[in-house]
């Protein structure tokens, strides 16, 4: 199912939450929604889920998704960034309760419980942050929904469970699921997402394919040279780090041109690295 978000805007009294947020996600796509804490990611997701009032529309396969549309709600599964459940229940009781809403999900539930090593006998109030997040993941994915919305889904998970979660996402993608993946961790987004949308101060500032961003000409250069100050002046270099004769900087100068420029100076050591996704995206936050 295709998810479309058009001109979502939310103010908290006089304070802007998000403004004119628009994007679309198609079947079999993982769309990374990127931004630092406070940028508007969770407000956007809560607006999509009709958990808060907002202006703008959310469309599922061209039909507007409204609060009272039970049929469309059945098509969506949502994992919030903070998991709040009934503390007086056990994990098993919580999952049994959710099974009443999702017919024929028992087999999938059991597979997910085993996969994420979840102890059904524990009380929810006694769960660690990581185990509470694993319970949230099981509840979200046992629904087997066509659209999956995830808000900071790996927070609290240990590295082994994070890797298992990434595998699960890619499996769901192969099934044709439509996935919105909100995170502030760029390294995980680069592993699993097809495209990303970057939000800053409540507005979308970039939407592009991961592969396209990777073609960005930004490089990170490390140099040791007694001509450090002359090189910095010549290239108008944006310094990342420097100490004594060593300095590290960003540049979009083509490599062949850069080498010609540097040939005019005495260089003791040089390293040229392709910028990471994090380096590239951070360029948009200046």
């Amino acid at each position: 199912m295709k998810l479309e978000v058009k001109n979502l805007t939310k103010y908290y009294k006089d304070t802007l939450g998000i403004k004119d947020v628009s994007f679309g996600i198609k079947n079999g796509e993982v769309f990374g929604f990127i931004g630092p804490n406070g940028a508007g990611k969770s407000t956007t997701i809560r607006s999509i889920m009709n958990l808060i009032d907002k202006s703008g529309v959310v469309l599922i396969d061209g039909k507007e998704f409204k609060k009272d549309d039970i049929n469309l709600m059945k098509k969506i599964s949502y994992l919030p960034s903070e998991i709040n459940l009934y503390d007086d229940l056990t994990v098993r009781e919580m999952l049994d309760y959710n099974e009443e809403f999702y017919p024929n999900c028992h087999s999938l539930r059991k597979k997910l419980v085993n996969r994420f090593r979840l102890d059904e006998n524990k009380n929810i109030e006694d769960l660690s942050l990581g185990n509470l997040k694993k319970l949230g993941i099981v509840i979200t994915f046992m629904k087997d929904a066509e659209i999956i919305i995830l808000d900071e889904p790996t927070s609290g998970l240990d590295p082994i469970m994070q890797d298992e979660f990434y595998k699960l996402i890619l499996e769901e993608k192969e099934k044709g699921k439509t996935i919105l993946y909100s995170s502030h961790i760029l390294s995980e987004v680069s592993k699993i997402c097809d495209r990303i949308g970057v939000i800053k101060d409540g507005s979308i500032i970039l939407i592009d394919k991961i592969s396209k961003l990777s073609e960005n000409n930004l490089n990170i250069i490390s140099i040791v040279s007694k001509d450090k100050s002359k090189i910095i002046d010549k290239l108008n270099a944006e310094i990342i780090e420097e100490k004594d004769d060593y300095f590290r900087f960003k540049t979009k100068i083509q490599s062949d041109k850069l080498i010609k420029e540097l040939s005019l100076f005495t260089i003791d050591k040089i390293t040229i690295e392709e910028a990471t996704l994090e380096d590239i995206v951070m360029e948009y936050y200046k």
Side-chain angles (χ1 to χ4, degrees), residues 142-277:
M142 65 188 268
K143 186 176 180 180
D144 200 22
E146 296 178 58
I147 296 175
I148 304 168
I149 297 178
L150 307 167
D151 192 0
E152 303 287 354
T154 62
S155 61
L157 295 182
D158 63 50
I160 293 174
M161 289 295 100
Q162 285 181 15
D163 286 341
E164 197 62 46
F165 182 73
Y166 300 149
K167 291 175 186 176
L168 176 62
I169 293 296
L170 295 176
E171 290 165 12
E172 294 297 293
K173 173 187 171 181
E174 287 299 312
K175 295 176 185 176
K177 302 293 181 71
T178 303
I179 302 172
L180 172 60
Y181 194 106
S182 174
S183 178
H184 68 280
I185 304 173
L186 290 168
S187 58
E188 70 178 20
V189 168
S190 64
K191 293 178 182 178
I192 60 176
C193 295
D194 303 290
R195 289 187 302 140
I196 63 168
V198 180
I199 189 168
K200 176 184 180 182
D201 299 330
S203 297
I204 298 288
I205 58 172
L206 171 71
I207 294 178
D208 213 337
K209 293 181 179 179
I210 293 284
S211 58
K212 188 72 174 178
L213 286 172
S214 298
E215 295 170 2
N216 189 297
N217 194 42
L218 183 67
N219 286 319
I220 309 296
I221 316 297
S222 299
I223 290 177
V224 176
S225 172
K226 296 191 181 300
D227 292 332
K228 181 178 78 171
S229 59
K230 295 178 182 178
I231 296 171
I232 291 172
D233 290 342
K234 176 69 174 178
L235 301 178
N236 193 24
E238 182 182 345
I239 301 299
I240 300 172
E241 179 185 0
E242 64 176 311
K243 183 179 180 182
D244 300 327
D245 291 340
Y246 166 81
F247 64 109
R248 191 165 179 258
F249 64 97
K250 300 178 183 178
T251 183
K252 289 189 176 181
I253 300 174
Q254 294 285 347
S255 295
D256 56 346
K257 183 179 179 182
L258 177 66
I259 290 169
K260 287 178 182 177
E261 297 276 9
L262 292 175
S263 68
L264 302 174
F265 305 97
T266 300
I267 305 290
D268 297 316
K269 185 177 181 181
I270 181 170
T271 304
I272 301 177
E273 312 165 59
E274 288 187 3
T276 64
L277 178 63

Side-chain angles (χ1 to χ4, degrees), residues 5-22 33 38-58 67 199-204:
V5 172
K6 294 187 175 182
N7 303 115
L8 289 188
T9 299
K10 171 65 180 178
Y11 280 89
Y12 297 95
K13 295 185 177 180
D14 296 328
T15 303
L16 175 67
I18 54 174
K19 185 175 181 180
D20 293 329
V21 171
S22 300
F33 195 40
K41 301 188 303 298
S42 292
T43 297
T44 299
I45 288 175
R46 290 171 61 81
S47 296
I48 292 172
M49 294 301 301
N50 290 313
L51 297 174
I52 55 176
D53 293 329
K54 85 285 184 184
S55 61
V57 295
V58 177
K67 282 183 181 180
I199 189 168
K200 176 184 180 182
D201 299 330
S203 297
I204 298 288

